[in-house]
Amino acid sequence: MGAVGAAAGPFLGDLDITTAQMRVLGQLKHHGRMTGREFAARLGVTPATVIPPTGWKNAATCAACPDHADRRLTWLELSPAGKEFFRGLWLAAGKTVARAIAQFTPQDPQTLARLLNQIAGQLEHAYQAPGPGSGP
């Protein structure tokens, strides 16, 4: 994580964005287009606290679009510049990971895949809902 963070550091250092704005962009990247009310519910805040991004210095990354059928609704979504923002954010980190993978021996990819599958299986097993009659 440290190496990936260091690779993305120069990109992040040049951003003119607050943590709250990054959170908005992250939610839109993960969940896609949503209304201000839906967004507020995801964050556990009141809809009045969701301020459309038009006042941001970097408002080009996120778009607030009025709903043509219901003027009371405003949709929040990533703009093309917002999508490009995320591509740039992970580009340096992706290059760092690719250089590390390029050093693998022929057996390493199979070993990594086996270990990741084993971890995923254990995590899935640990978080499965208990069935009827199962103990604590």
Side-chain angles (χ1 to χ4, degrees):
M1 290 302 291
V4 170
F11 177 84
L12 293 171
D14 292 338
L15 292 179
D16 186 18
I17 189 170
T18 67
T19 303
Q21 291 168 347
M22 186 64 187
R23 191 173 181 199
V24 169
L25 295 175
Q27 287 290 316
L28 292 173
K29 171 73 173 154
H30 184 70
H31 299 289
R33 182 179 191 223
M34 65 183 94
T35 66
R37 195 171 290 281
E38 290 169 333
F39 183 75
R42 288 205 181 276
L43 294 181
V45 299
T46 63
T49 62
V50 176
I51 300 168
T54 53
W56 296 4
K57 289 180 183 177
N58 63 343
T61 56
C62 178
C65 309
D67 189 294
H68 298 294
D70 186 346
R71 296 176 147 262
R72 297 170 296 173
L73 291 178
T74 299
W75 292 93
L76 300 173
E77 61 187 3
L78 283 179
S79 67
K83 293 172 185 172
E84 182 64 22
F85 164 81
F86 280 101
R87 192 188 73 73
L89 178 64
W90 295 111
L91 186 62
K95 287 179 180 179
T96 300
V97 171
R99 281 192 301 273
I101 290 172
Q103 302 302 312
F104 279 8
T105 66
Q107 300 86 352
D108 288 342
Q110 292 86 14
T111 301
L112 179 60
R114 181 182 55 78
L115 293 171
L116 290 174
N117 284 326
Q118 186 176 346
I119 291 168
Q122 290 295 324
L123 291 173
E124 288 173 6
H125 178 73
Y127 289 104
Q128 286 180 349
S134 57

